[in-house]
Amino acid sequence: MNFLIIDDHSGLRAMIRDLAASMATMIHECVSGEEAIELCKRYAPDCITVDLRMPGMDGLTCIHHLRLLHPSAHIAVVTQFDNDALRARARQAGADTYVIKDNLEPLQHFFRLLSTQLGDE
């Protein structure tokens, strides 16, 4: 499974990378939505994690663009904002799941589920 981690915080990228490592065939990381879009023009990730607040393009706009580039990618928002309105906007933009940075256990579950699903294809 190919992963793309989009977050401007290197420590969080490292934590997500550690969660994905056992399932990943390739992991790319970037710090902005603009960088992610350029990367996705050359690389087709199966799973993408996106922070909502980054310099430049916000995560919701980034998700919208990524969905256009890779409609079959599985997208997880990983954010510090536990907000129902943001959850709804993330789903509307094309996110599959919404995880709060304080508890990454649901993200690990999401990765395992994807690994099982993609392994069966």
Side-chain angles (χ1 to χ4, degrees):
M1 188 163 48
N2 296 327
F3 285 84
L4 174 60
I5 302 167
I6 312 164
D7 198 296
D8 59 330
H9 188 272
S10 62
L12 188 69
R13 286 195 317 271
M15 289 190 318
I16 294 171
R17 185 177 55 246
D18 288 346
L19 289 176
S22 67
M23 295 162 262
T25 51
M26 187 178 300
I27 299 175
H28 286 337
E29 300 177 28
C30 53
V31 299
S32 71
E34 294 86 356
E35 186 181 359
I37 289 166
E38 288 305 311
L39 183 60
C40 280
K41 290 177 182 176
R42 301 183 312 272
Y43 166 72
D46 299 304
C47 183
I48 304 170
T49 64
V50 183
D51 189 9
L52 291 181
R53 185 183 293 175
M54 300 176 287
M57 181 185 299
D58 68 86
L60 294 175
T61 303
C62 181
I63 292 167
H64 173 76
H65 289 289
L66 294 171
R67 241 329 137 216
L68 294 174
L69 285 169
H70 297 291
S72 64
H74 302 275
I75 301 175
V77 167
V78 182
T79 184
Q80 65 185 1
F81 303 106
D82 190 3
N83 178 297
D84 289 338
L86 276 176
R87 283 178 192 272
R89 289 177 59 206
R91 286 246 184 236
Q92 192 172 44
D96 297 300
T97 193
Y98 192 100
V99 177
I100 305 304
K101 289 181 178 181
D102 291 345
N103 178 14
L104 294 179
E105 189 174 319
L107 184 62
Q108 188 171 30
H109 177 72
F110 180 68
F111 289 168
R112 285 186 190 132
L113 183 63
L114 288 179
S115 180
T116 301
Q117 288 175 356
L118 295 174
D120 290 342
E121 292 179 356

